[in-house]
Amino acid sequence: MGTWWLWVLVLIPIPLWALIGRRHGISAGADWFAMKKGYVDTYELTEVKVEGASGGLAWTLELADKKGTEMSVDAADAQANSKLWDLVYNGILHSVQQGSAKTNPKALDKLRLR
């Protein structure tokens, strides 16, 4: 308790973690996926792409729906919450299997959409 500089090391990360947590603002419902920028209708997607490293560690999920709304999100951020990811993945799978959503080969492989 008497070493003040140790408290600085303990307390500095707290505001940083709070700022990092606010950065994402991801949510999902039965048929939508939203970020701070807007939302896409996951059951009416026209395009599903995966872009990024071929090693598979860091990749980006790019979605576009019939309204013309486009969204790009780090896959790790979307998959961090398994219940949220289940909602999003079900919509993606429906749009690709039943709808006319265009995909790229990486999306088919990484998301196992075949």
Side-chain angles (χ1 to χ4, degrees), residues 46-63:
T46 57
E47 190 170 26
V48 177
K49 284 186 179 179
V50 169
E51 300 292 335
S54 59
L57 296 177
W59 44 281
T60 303
L61 179 62
E62 297 176 1
L63 305 172

Side-chain angles (χ1 to χ4, degrees), residues 1-3 18 21 25 37-38 46 49 57 70 73-74 78 86:
M1 295 281 263
T3 51
K37 303 170 197 168
T46 57
K49 284 186 179 179
L57 296 177
E70 296 179 359
V73 62
D74 289 335
D86 286 345

Side-chain angles (χ1 to χ4, degrees), residues 9-113:
L9 293 176
V10 171
L11 296 177
I12 285 178
I14 293 171
L16 294 175
W17 288 327
L19 289 174
I20 290 170
R22 288 186 194 170
R23 178 182 71 181
H24 304 301
I26 297 174
S27 59
D31 61 351
W32 54 270
F33 177 55
M35 290 180 61
K36 290 182 180 181
K37 303 170 197 168
Y39 73 96
V40 292
D41 187 340
T42 55
Y43 282 82
E44 293 189 8
L45 295 173
T46 57
E47 190 170 26
V48 177
K49 284 186 179 179
V50 169
E51 300 292 335
S54 59
L57 296 177
W59 44 281
T60 303
L61 179 62
E62 297 176 1
L63 305 172
D65 66 10
K66 288 183 180 179
K67 297 177 303 213
T69 308
E70 296 179 359
M71 181 178 294
S72 179
V73 62
D74 289 335
D77 294 339
Q79 293 174 335
N81 181 329
S82 63
K83 291 180 182 180
L84 180 140
W85 178 244
D86 286 345
L87 292 169
V88 174
Y89 183 76
N90 286 337
I92 291 171
L93 188 61
H94 173 81
S95 291
V96 171
Q97 302 273 326
Q98 303 296 324
S100 59
K102 297 178 185 176
T103 61
N104 63 354
K106 277 188 182 180
L108 294 173
D109 292 337
K110 297 279 185 194
L111 299 175
R112 297 180 183 145
L113 297 173

